[in-house]
């Protein structure tokens, strides 16, 4: 029978459990055997108890949980060929040659490389006697599909990555809470949100939270922004606004690439506007906790489709199963990764329109 492995890799994201559950149950209902690979790629390399067969009930009561119950890891060993060779042996020994990986662009491009390298790894294992020739012949290829798990919404080509909606909801809840205390004291708040190099969470939180100013990495502000920001905040006060909220993406910089910290923004507001200002760094509360309804149902559909993709017998180039225009969509994996990595290059080159357009491509295309 067909044997499928599922793992989560990179930073956890709300909805990963829903995806794992859907992969497991879809595989089981198609008569396949399914294995959870614990602690991301590391479990595949370590083997042993790191790879466990799952039944229907093993993924019960996890749909509503944040994080990933099968663990995650940013594996350095998987970047080394020796690690991948051990991973291939552990999979072949268990008859697993189909994988669904839920992770960020790094985890997914690693998966693509692993699959390309697979035939070579398997012949090497057979030549050195670590697996039998029959085992090698039975598993000539590694079939795979990727799902994007990342609160950052940082893969170009898919409208939403798993976890982004929940993180955004958490941020907007925090903004609402901060707005009430800010208004009571007529204070300003500078809120730093996650997103690594991607400004999606910051920008959408600013829109959804009705904030006054936002700084994102894709569109670094031109010189003199401090003055423009303060003028904006002052206008709000004049119009009777009792709270001012500035959102800073953790990856925000100025046009020469110098990071703009929340503390710096606070200092600017205090010095120029003489306002009582507080900084709130939301941190990992954005990533933990309950997945939103969207992250549950969407990840369920994505996991279902990914399992069908790897269990099928049709030609498959190992796609990303993403979400586009309210539909589950197949994206060419390396093309999505390439377009994602163009964004920092656009920023570096000072082409901020291109950077914003690339990020927004999934919304307007
Ligand atoms: O990619 C998800 C993310 O939460 C980013 O927003 C953030 O930059 C990073 O992970 C934090 O990583 P860590 O959890 O390793 O501190």
């Amino acid at each position: 029978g067909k044997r499928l492995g599922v793992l989560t890799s990179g930073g956890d994201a709300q909805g990963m459990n829903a995806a794992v559950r859907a992969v497991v149950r879809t595989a089981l209902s198609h008569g396949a055997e399914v294995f959870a690979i614990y602690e991301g790629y590391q479990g595949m390399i370590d083997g042993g108890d790191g790879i466990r067969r799952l039944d229907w009930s093993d993924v019960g009561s996890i749909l509503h949980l944040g994080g990933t119950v099968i663990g995650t890891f940013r594996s350095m060993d998987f970047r080394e060929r020796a690690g991948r060779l051990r991973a291939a042996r552990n999979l072949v020994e268990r008859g697993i040659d189909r994988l669904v990986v839920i992770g960020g662009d790094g985890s997914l491009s690693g998966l693509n490389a692993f699959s390309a390298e697979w035939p070579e790894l398997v012949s090497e294992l057979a030549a050195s006697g670590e697996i039998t020739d029959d085992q090698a012949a039975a598993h000539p290829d590694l079939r795979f599909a990727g799902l994007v798990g990342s609160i950052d919404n940082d893969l170009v080509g898919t409208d939403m990555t798993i976890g982004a909606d929940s993180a955004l909801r958490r941020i907007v809840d925090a903004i609402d809470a901060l707005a009430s205390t800010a208004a009571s004291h007529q204070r300003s708040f500078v809120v730093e949100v996650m997103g690594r190099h991607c400004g999606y969470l910051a920008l959408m939180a600013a829109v959804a939270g009705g904030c006054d100013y936002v700084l994102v990495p894709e569109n670094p502000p031109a010189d003199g922004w401090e003055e423009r920001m303060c003028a904006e905040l002052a206008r709000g006060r004049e119009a009777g606004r009792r709270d001012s909220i500035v959102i800073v993406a953790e990856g925000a910089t100025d046009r020469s690439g110098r990071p703009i910290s929340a503390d710096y923004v606070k200092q600017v507001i205090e010095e120029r506007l003489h306002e009582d200002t507080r900084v709130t760094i939301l941190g990992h509360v954005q990533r933990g906790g309950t997945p939103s309804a969207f992250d549950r149902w969407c990840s369920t559909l994505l996991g279902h489709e990914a399992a069908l993709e790897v269990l099928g017998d049709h030609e498959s180039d190992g796609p990303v199963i993403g979400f586009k225009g309210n539909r589950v969509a197949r994206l060419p994996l390396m093309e999505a990764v390439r377009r994602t990595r163009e964004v920092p290059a656009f920023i570096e080159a000072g082409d901020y329109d291109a950077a914003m357009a690339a990020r927004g491509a999934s919304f307007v295309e």
Side-chain angles (χ1 to χ4, degrees):
K2 295 175 179 175
R3 290 182 165 198
L4 182 163
V6 58
L7 65 87
T8 51
S9 175
D12 64 294
Q14 309 94 325
M16 280 182 162
N17 288 324
V20 168
R21 170 178 173 274
V23 169
V24 169
R25 291 190 170 173
T26 303
L28 292 173
S29 51
H30 283 74
E33 281 184 80
V34 55
F35 294 78
I37 300 169
Y38 287 76
E39 325 309 337
Y41 290 117
Q42 200 58 40
M44 204 154 84
I45 296 171
D46 295 344
D49 217 20
I51 306 177
R52 282 175 250 166
R53 208 172 66 83
L54 295 186
D55 286 321
W56 191 270
S57 59
D58 291 326
V59 289
S61 305
I62 65 168
L63 180 60
H64 61 293
L65 299 179
T68 164
V69 296
I70 60 173
T72 187
F73 198 72
R74 293 189 171 126
S75 171
M76 289 303 147
D77 293 346
F78 194 68
R79 293 176 183 215
E80 306 294 328
R81 191 170 186 283
R84 296 193 296 273
L85 193 64
R86 277 168 55 196
R89 190 197 59 200
N90 284 325
L91 294 184
V92 171
E93 274 175 352
R94 290 164 179 79
I96 303 168
D97 55 10
R98 295 158 202 268
L99 281 183
V100 174
V101 170
I102 309 160
D105 65 335
S107 307
L108 299 186
S109 43
L111 173 65
N112 191 70
F114 183 51
S115 161
E117 202 180 28
W118 177 270
E120 191 189 306
L121 296 174
V122 167
S123 7
E124 190 176 323
L125 290 167
S128 63
E130 290 197 59
I131 59 172
T132 66
D133 289 339
D134 286 351
Q135 281 176 317
H139 306 292
D141 299 304
L142 179 72
R143 217 180 145 94
F144 68 93
L147 297 180
V148 203
S150 164
I151 63 161
D152 303 341
N153 204 18
D154 55 352
L155 194 87
V156 172
T158 183
D159 293 351
M160 286 296 268
T161 58
I162 292 171
D165 182 67
S166 303
L168 184 56
R169 191 190 62 173
R170 192 72 39 78
I171 297 167
V172 171
D173 282 348
I175 291 172
D176 290 347
L178 293 173
S180 63
T181 171
S184 306
H185 292 260
Q186 300 197 59
R187 272 178 176 158
S188 296
F189 270 79
V190 184
V191 184
E192 183 192 292
V193 305
M194 277 186 164
R196 209 181 286 259
H197 309 296
C198 179
Y200 173 86
L201 289 176
L203 187 60
M204 294 309 176
V207 173
C211 301
D212 301 276
Y213 212 79
V214 59
L215 294 153
V216 295
E218 291 85 349
N219 194 13
D223 286 354
W225 65 269
E226 291 94 336
E227 202 177 310
R228 291 194 300 280
M229 176 185 74
C230 289
E232 197 62 46
L233 300 186
R235 243 195 317 276
R237 292 290 189 213
E238 277 156 31
R241 213 182 150 109
R242 293 182 58 89
D243 64 308
S244 295
I245 300 188
V246 176
I247 305 291
V248 186
E250 65 171 328
T253 69
D254 64 18
R255 291 203 173 178
S256 50
R258 267 193 308 270
I260 297 176
S261 69
D263 277 331
Y264 176 68
V265 178
K266 165 187 152 90
Q267 192 189 321
V268 167
I269 298 172
E270 282 182 336
E271 279 171 11
R272 298 187 184 222
L273 297 175
H274 310 291
E275 284 196 6
D276 203 7
T277 307
R278 295 287 185 274
V279 167
T280 301
I281 296 177
L282 292 178
H284 288 77
V285 294
Q286 295 163 91
R287 219 164 78 187
T290 312
S292 66
F294 174 84
D295 275 322
R296 297 185 203 190
W297 69 255
C298 188
S299 304
T300 299
L301 300 190
L302 296 175
H304 173 72
E305 197 61 29
L308 293 182
E309 178 71 24
V310 297
L311 291 173
D313 296 312
H314 58 282
E315 270 297 307
S316 172
D317 56 357
V320 173
I321 308 295
F323 198 65
K324 218 168 159 51
N326 239 13
R327 293 280 182 282
V328 173
R330 281 182 173 59
L331 318 169
L333 191 150
M334 288 319 287
E335 165 78 359
V337 170
R338 187 186 61 72
R339 288 179 63 198
T340 299
R341 294 185 179 165
E342 266 175 10
V343 178
F346 288 142
I347 298 170
E348 179 99 5
D351 193 348
Y352 311 124
D353 286 348
M356 291 296 276
R359 284 281 192 236
S362 37
F363 300 101
V364 295
E365 251 170 21

